[in-house]
Amino acid sequence: MKPATAAKKLGIYLPAAPAEFQEQPVTRGALNELLQTPPEWLVELRLHGPHPRDVVARKLGVSISGLARGEVTEALTTDEITALLQSPPEWLVTERATQAAVREENRRVKDVKAGKAAAREERDAE
């Protein structure tokens, strides 16, 4: 697979990976080996970053679109993410509230669907 695909599966920011990882295709066996016994560089990248956008968004509790609205376009390190969480800017507070509202709405819709399915099963059982 392409190095970009392997980096995505490993949850790392490709430009921060070693050159030999970036330049060569990664076999499924090599990927499994990296997952089972990660080398030091992979452990360091996962712990300290820089992290890809999806990881940054998850750690901040916002969507990737929320990062874009907050004009966060660069990969962030763990220290930068921690600093944002300790003294959140206005955009982060807003985006976290938006994300919480979206999760709550999704939970409500799921509960409504489950209730309808239960009523349908009860009706069909009669």
Side-chain angles (χ1 to χ4, degrees):
M1 70 187 73
K2 294 179 181 177
T5 304
K8 186 170 181 106
K9 290 181 183 284
L10 292 170
I12 61 170
Y13 183 58
L14 181 61
E20 61 269 8
F21 180 83
Q22 294 181 41
E23 296 166 357
Q24 298 177 359
V26 179
T27 64
R28 176 65 66 187
L31 178 66
N32 289 337
E33 181 69 25
L34 288 170
L35 288 168
Q36 291 173 359
T37 55
E40 185 64 29
W41 65 265
L42 181 55
V43 172
E44 285 298 313
L45 268 179
R46 285 179 167 170
L47 285 177
H48 304 290
H51 302 288
R53 291 173 58 80
D54 60 330
V55 174
V56 172
R58 187 172 14 111
K59 287 181 181 240
L60 289 175
V62 300
S63 66
I64 294 174
S65 299
L67 285 179
R69 286 189 292 272
E71 298 179 1
V72 177
T73 58
E74 304 289 320
L76 299 178
T77 64
T78 301
D79 291 340
E80 292 168 326
I81 293 169
T82 302
L84 282 172
L85 289 172
Q86 288 176 348
S87 57
E90 181 70 28
W91 71 265
L92 183 55
V93 172
T94 302
E95 290 300 331
R96 290 185 82 173
T98 300
Q99 189 71 7
V102 167
R103 284 190 197 113
E104 181 58 36
E105 178 63 12
N106 288 343
R107 197 174 6 257
R108 185 193 68 77
V109 168
K110 183 178 177 182
D111 290 346
V112 168
K113 286 182 180 180
K116 287 181 180 179
R120 190 172 32 251
E121 286 179 15
E122 187 176 301
R123 189 180 59 234
D124 291 345
E126 292 176 354

